[in-house]
């Protein structure tokens, strides 16, 4: 019975979620009563104009920020008001993050960058870390770059290091906020094919993009406008 529940229960369910930022006396509501269910194995793309709330939503889903009102259930558990420690435990255990600007640490080589999340998790055996770093760098097609400086890699190679880093702790979900935004379209395709392969292997992916052409990779596309979801209006 539990098994059956598992397959139908959403990984993520947010209901009537609102996010309000306060600056002094000024309050801005940037997410306005959102409902969303995300199921295991989906490849979701979020589109919408700058300022529509895409990153804010990603941050809430990935436990980087908290909701102002509404509820958030993660694997059936109400996580709306977890404390900071619990939030970071969940974040580290279940999410891998990929950003437009890669956020690699230049003073560390490729291998060390990929090993970092394992260090945060408390894995310190050099052999274990190295084997995992190697495995995930090979998975994203740059196994031979282990000892390279990150500054000597191309943008696409740097993003693949970031993807390997997001994968080393075997997250359930990959959260990618404009992962191809800083790349030319050819290199963007390499990254998209990497994400597609990961999705086919079972990873759930939530990605923000401005590039309508990339929606062909998605199993579902969500459009945001002014902090709300909107239906796609077919223009042709
Ligand atoms: N920490 C914050 N404090 C106050 N306002 C914020 C904060 N973060 C975001 N906002 C505001 O919330 C709104 C949504 O921002 P968000 O970053 O989610 O947009 P976005 O859809 O990701 O845009 P872009 O496509 O430019 O990345 C914007 O008006 C932004 O100014
Ligand atoms: Mg954004």
């Amino acid at each position: 019975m539990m098994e059956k529940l598992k397959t139908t229960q959403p990984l993520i369910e947010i209901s009537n979620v609102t996010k309000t930022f306060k600056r002094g006396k000024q309050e801005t509501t940037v997410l306005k009563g959102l409902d969303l269910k995300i199921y295991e194995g989906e490849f979701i793309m979020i589109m919408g104009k700058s300022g529509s709330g895409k990153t804010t939503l990603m941050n809430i889903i990935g436990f980087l920020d908290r909701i102002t009102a509404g509820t958030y259930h993660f694997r059936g558990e109400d996580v709306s008001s977890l404390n900071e420690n619990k939030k970071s435990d969940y974040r580290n255990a279940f999410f891998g993050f990929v950003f437009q600007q890669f956020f690699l640490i230049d003073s560390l080589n490729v291998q060390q960058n990929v090993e970092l999340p394992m260090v945060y998790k408390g894995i310190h055996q050099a052999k274990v870390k190295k084997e995992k770093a190697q495995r995930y760098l090979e998975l994203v097609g740059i196994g031979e770059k282990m000892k390279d400086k990150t500054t000597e890699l191309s943008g696409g190679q740097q993003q693949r290091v970031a993807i390997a880093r997001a994968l080393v702790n075997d997250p359930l979900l990959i959260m990618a906020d404009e992962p191809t935004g800083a790349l030319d379209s050819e290199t963007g395709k390499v990254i998209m094919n990497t994400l597609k392969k990961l999705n086919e292997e079972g990873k759930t992916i939530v990605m923000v993009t401005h590039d309508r052409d990339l929606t062909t990779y998605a199993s579902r596309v969500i459009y945001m406008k002014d902090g709300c979801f909107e239906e796609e209006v077919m223009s042709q």
Side-chain angles (χ1 to χ4, degrees):
M1 193 183 150
M2 279 307 288
E3 277 311 303
K4 196 166 182 203
L5 252 179
K6 252 188 194 167
T7 55
T8 52
Q9 181 185 67
L11 214 47
I12 282 167
E13 180 168 8
I14 66 171
S15 304
N16 204 14
V17 158
T18 297
K19 177 69 183 176
T20 303
F21 288 112
K22 283 185 190 137
R23 230 188 251 121
K25 281 191 179 151
Q26 198 186 334
E27 290 194 358
T28 324
T29 298
V30 302
L31 301 181
K32 301 170 182 169
L34 298 181
D35 296 313
L36 177 64
K37 290 179 185 164
I38 298 174
Y39 292 89
E40 200 160 352
E42 286 199 280
F43 192 152
I44 292 182
M45 278 193 199
I46 303 175
M47 294 199 72
K49 282 190 188 148
S50 181
S52 56
K54 305 179 296 294
T55 296
T56 306
L57 176 61
M58 294 287 275
N59 288 345
I60 280 172
I61 292 172
F63 294 93
L64 288 162
D65 203 349
R66 62 172 62 244
I67 61 180
T68 307
T71 57
Y72 179 2
H73 286 82
F74 184 76
R75 301 164 103 200
E77 183 196 354
D78 188 346
V79 291
S80 311
S81 48
L82 286 186
N83 67 32
E84 290 303 319
N85 280 340
K86 273 270 181 191
K87 263 172 42 182
S88 70
D89 286 350
Y90 275 69
R91 190 161 62 234
N92 294 331
F94 298 115
F95 292 87
F97 295 91
V98 180
F99 303 95
Q100 182 172 356
Q101 308 89 336
F102 322 136
F103 292 130
L104 300 178
I105 296 175
D106 292 345
S107 59
L108 302 178
N109 70 19
V110 167
Q111 177 186 342
Q112 291 164 328
N113 267 279
V114 176
E115 287 179 354
L116 262 190
M118 289 185 274
V119 176
Y120 293 143
K121 205 181 176 185
I123 299 169
H124 295 294
Q125 303 100 307
K127 192 163 171 256
V128 174
K129 285 190 296 181
K130 187 181 174 187
E131 277 171 11
K132 276 204 167 180
Q134 180 82 52
R135 188 186 335 144
Y136 286 103
L137 284 165
E138 277 167 13
L139 189 74
V140 298
I142 49 167
E144 75 288 1
K145 301 289 184 189
M146 283 275 279
K147 298 292 176 195
D148 284 31
K149 288 185 178 176
T150 59
T151 47
E152 290 169 5
L153 300 178
S154 71
Q157 289 167 339
Q158 289 187 50
Q159 192 59 302
R160 282 186 279 169
V161 175
I163 293 172
R165 180 183 59 185
L167 288 170
V168 280
N169 286 338
D170 196 22
L172 263 179
L173 289 110
I174 298 176
M175 306 295 291
D177 198 342
E178 299 199 48
T180 65
L183 306 171
D184 64 85
S185 66
E186 275 312 302
T187 313
K189 265 187 210 152
V190 175
I191 295 304
M192 289 315 301
N193 285 323
T194 305
L195 292 174
K196 187 178 165 200
K197 187 172 89 175
L198 292 168
N199 179 246
E200 284 165 358
E201 288 165 3
K203 288 281 178 237
T204 307
I205 300 181
V206 185
M207 172 177 155
V208 171
T209 184
H210 274 114
D211 187 346
R212 190 165 285 271
D213 292 345
L214 298 185
T215 56
T216 52
Y217 289 90
S219 60
R220 179 151 63 113
V221 186
I222 293 168
Y223 297 87
M224 287 192 77
K225 187 181 182 186
D226 283 339
C228 299
F229 294 140
E230 61 167 14
E231 294 298 320
E232 160 82 319
V233 180
M234 301 303 279
S235 52
Q236 287 165 12

